[in-house]
Amino acid sequence: MKAAVIGCNGYIGKHLSLFLQQQGWEVYGYGKKPTCDLNISGYTSLDIQLKSDFDRFDTQVDYVFYFSGITGTAAAYNTYENYIDVNEKGLLHLLNKVRTASQKPRIVFPSSRLVYKGVANTLLSEDAEKEFKTIYALNKWFGEQVVQQFSNYFDVPFSIFRICVPYGNLFADSYSYGTIGFFLTKAKAGEPITLFGEGEPKRTFTHVEDICLQIYHALSKEGSVNNTLNISGETFSLKEVAEQIAAKYSVTVEFKDWPKMDASLESGDTIFDGSRISQLIQKPLKNSFQTWLQSI
């Protein structure tokens, strides 16, 4: 199999590139940096904001993993042009290139928990009610809708994987992305971990290796073609995770009142129903949060 990974220097894109290469795939990376962080089959520097840069994109692959983008919440209101140019126009540049290919590769698009309306203590299936509280959430929903449109109108196949909270690392260091990364940075520095409110919101946490495994195995199943799948994982409240990390590093967890903006942006519980992907691939999670935390 041949795969193009756009965003191969990013957190999940880098892990996917390594993982696919370990499975014997030919992996061709694309990113804005002049060089690639990995030793892969080939690397091309490409700015997804520039339509002309996609003249250098080779469509002769089986899959295109679009894992490039800008994340964030309130920050997007100050730099909204970048969020639109990178997260929306960049994807359209790719799709416009792929739709004219003689053999169209499948687009693999990562979406987010932030497209869901959070519901307390409730598993959210792929068809659960949606709500968009941030520009980034709208970017992700735009991405989901536009890859479906290109499938309907131009026969470009796709698979969408919604990811809740990733953590862990398969490389030399123990850095974790996002929520867990923030907690670890504080704890390792000997500082208290801070949470808003009482840390009650619940999330589905998935080790990055399990994200790669689920995507890889699901892609080989017919049920993943032109379909949307939640990545499965383990459910914890933010408080539970923070307290476990704090205990390991002998720091405390402190609680602060919600700032007005953050309270408005908070989604509440986003607990994934992973039954669709679990039934498709029938493979248990390889990693658990507690085991991973003990190992770092």
Side-chain angles (χ1 to χ4, degrees), residues 65-263:
F65 295 82
Y66 189 81
F67 281 71
S68 183
I70 303 175
T71 63
T73 52
Y77 294 98
N78 297 320
T79 57
Y80 55 84
E81 300 100 327
N82 291 335
Y83 280 75
I84 294 170
D85 289 344
V86 173
N87 294 346
E88 297 188 9
K89 287 185 180 179
L91 178 58
L92 283 168
H93 293 331
L94 168 67
L95 293 169
N96 186 63
K97 176 75 174 184
V98 168
R99 74 184 177 97
T100 60
S102 56
Q103 182 176 342
K104 299 177 179 64
R106 196 191 318 180
I107 304 297
V108 181
F109 181 75
S111 191
S112 167
R113 71 176 185 85
L114 295 171
V115 302
Y116 287 116
K117 181 176 182 178
V119 183
N121 297 310
T122 301
L123 292 174
L124 302 175
S125 73
E126 288 82 355
D127 300 321
E129 184 177 358
K130 308 301 185 293
E131 183 178 53
F132 314 104
K133 289 193 169 186
T134 65
I135 289 174
Y136 176 66
L138 285 168
N139 292 157
K140 283 301 185 182
W141 188 244
F142 171 88
E144 290 196 26
Q145 297 305 301
V146 80
V147 297
Q148 292 180 53
Q149 289 177 14
F150 272 71
S151 175
N152 293 335
Y153 305 149
F154 306 110
D155 297 319
V156 177
F158 72 88
S159 295
I160 296 168
F161 295 93
R162 294 187 185 134
I163 300 169
C164 195
V165 180
Y167 71 90
N169 203 308
L170 299 178
F171 295 95
D173 57 41
S174 59
Y175 170 76
S176 277
Y177 176 81
T179 301
I180 301 296
F182 170 77
F183 291 170
L184 280 174
T185 298
K186 287 284 191 179
K188 287 182 176 181
E191 300 175 7
I193 299 172
T194 55
L195 292 173
F196 292 138
E198 297 179 357
E200 66 277 4
K202 295 179 180 178
R203 308 279 190 261
T204 296
F205 292 81
T206 313
H207 191 280
V208 68
E209 184 178 22
D210 282 302
I211 293 173
C212 294
L213 282 164
Q214 290 179 60
I215 291 174
Y216 171 75
H217 289 294
L219 290 177
S220 67
K221 305 296 184 181
E222 187 63 28
S224 69
V225 181
N226 299 341
N227 204 354
T228 300
L229 300 166
N230 286 338
I231 294 292
S232 64
E234 301 173 287
T235 299
F236 301 103
S237 70
L238 297 179
K239 178 182 177 182
E240 289 172 325
V241 169
E243 287 179 339
Q244 291 182 64
I245 293 174
K248 178 179 175 69
Y249 292 96
S250 301
V251 299
T252 60
V253 178
E254 296 183 354
F255 302 93
K256 296 184 176 181
D257 291 337
W258 281 95
K260 182 177 179 181
M261 184 68 168
D262 293 276

